[in-house]
Amino acid sequence: MAGPSKSLILDPALQKYYDLNANRYKYFRWTPRHAWLSVLYMAVIPGALGYIAYKTEGKYELRGKRRGDTVSEW
C-alpha cells in the first residue's frame, strides 16, 4: 500500500544536515580562504575571460564555409 506511513522514522543525522543547510548563512564566517575564493570567482576569472575575449575579438571566423565562398580567407 502506497502512502504515508505512521511508523516513518527520520534519520537524525539527515535532519541535522537539512537544518544546517537551510540555515547556512547563520554559520558563515569570513576567513582568508573565503575572501580569496570570493575575489577569484567575482573578479579574477571574469576579468581574465574578458581580457581574452577583448584581445581575440574578430581574430577568428567561426562561421562555416558556404557555397561560393573561397577556401582561403587571407
Side-chain angles (χ1 to χ4, degrees):
M1 301 179 101
S5 173
K6 293 183 179 179
S7 63
L8 179 67
I9 300 173
L10 299 175
D11 186 8
L14 282 176
Q15 287 301 112
K16 184 178 178 182
Y17 172 74
Y18 294 148
D19 291 338
L20 178 70
N21 200 20
N23 299 316
R24 187 174 298 271
Y25 68 96
K26 294 178 184 176
Y27 301 103
F28 178 80
R29 292 179 187 244
W30 281 105
T31 62
R33 181 175 184 263
H34 286 145
W36 167 246
L37 287 174
S38 297
V39 168
L40 181 71
Y41 288 127
M42 289 189 289
V44 175
I45 292 175
L49 289 175
Y51 176 76
I52 291 170
Y54 179 75
K55 284 299 191 181
T56 60
E57 182 180 6
K59 189 172 185 180
Y60 303 105
E61 182 64 40
L62 299 177
R63 183 180 68 88
K65 295 287 183 192
R66 296 185 180 166
R67 190 180 323 163
D69 287 349
T70 60
V71 174
S72 65
E73 295 182 9
W74 304 101

